[in-house]
Amino acid sequence: MPAFFLALVAAALLSLGARDQVLVGRLALARGGAAGLIPVVLVVTALSSGLMAWGGSLVAALLPPAAKSMLVAFALGAAAFELAWTRKDTVPREPTHSQFALFVVLLARQLGDAARFCVFALAAATANPPLSALGGWLGGAAVLVVTLLAPEDLADPARLRPLRLVLAGLCAIAALILALGARGLL
């Protein structure tokens, strides 16, 4: 059960201000509402969380305990990097109304974001991919659905930038502690 709650909280926190949240918020503003976006958001978030949890457990099963800890540290380090990375997202001027195009773009963004890296790390660390995937799906989907309901408040990534930097620092510290522990230096 800890895998579920940790993944839920991590995915919810790390999705705040993420590229997928900004994209969904801007598309909701451009389309004039959330019509048709919620099913795509739910399916994509379930798929990305499931794939990352499955990948984390698959790779972790091949590794000895110390290497598994290093894998989790690398995943957390990747999450910290993604959180701290400043990027320019363009506002879609004439967004496509294709659900498939949204599916593909959203899936690509989520497979490389901090929330899914944490789901990967938790699945590898806890050896419980179904609960890690479920927690990651619910946490990530909740943030995106709230964004669809209030896009004007959440479509600006600058508002949540300080929080993302704090979360990047926390992920980096956790990665460092895990890496030092795996190497026997802590």
Side-chain angles (χ1 to χ4, degrees):
M1 210 48 128
F4 170 76
F5 290 114
L6 287 172
L8 177 82
V9 171
L13 283 174
L14 299 179
S15 292
L16 294 172
R19 292 182 307 153
D20 59 336
Q21 183 190 27
V22 173
L23 172 70
V24 165
R26 289 178 176 170
L27 283 176
L29 285 173
R31 288 183 178 189
L37 296 176
I38 291 177
V40 175
V41 162
L42 294 176
V43 170
V44 168
T45 307
L47 183 61
S48 64
S49 294
L51 285 172
M52 291 301 274
W54 175 72
S57 67
L58 187 70
V59 173
L62 302 173
L63 301 174
K68 189 184 303 185
S69 294
M70 285 302 292
L71 174 69
V72 172
F74 282 130
L76 288 174
F81 178 77
E82 198 277 330
L83 284 163
W85 186 13
T86 304
R87 62 202 167 268
K88 277 196 151 188
D89 285 327
T90 59
V91 179
R93 281 187 232 143
E94 292 179 304
T96 178
H97 290 282
S98 166
Q99 302 300 69
F100 180 73
L102 174 61
F103 177 89
V104 170
V105 171
L106 199 54
L107 183 63
R109 287 192 178 192
Q110 284 190 355
L111 286 176
D113 73 356
R116 263 45 72 176
F117 280 129
C118 274
V119 169
F120 179 93
L122 286 167
T126 63
N128 198 339
L131 288 180
S132 297
L134 182 61
W137 173 58
L138 290 175
V143 168
L144 293 181
V145 168
V146 168
T147 302
L148 287 171
L149 299 176
E152 54 280 336
D153 296 328
L154 298 169
D156 182 15
R159 285 184 165 180
L160 296 170
R161 183 79 181 133
L163 174 65
R164 288 185 64 79
L165 290 175
V166 168
L167 292 171
L170 292 174
C171 284
I173 291 169
L176 183 63
I177 290 171
L178 281 170
L180 290 174
R183 300 294 301 158
L185 300 173
L186 187 67

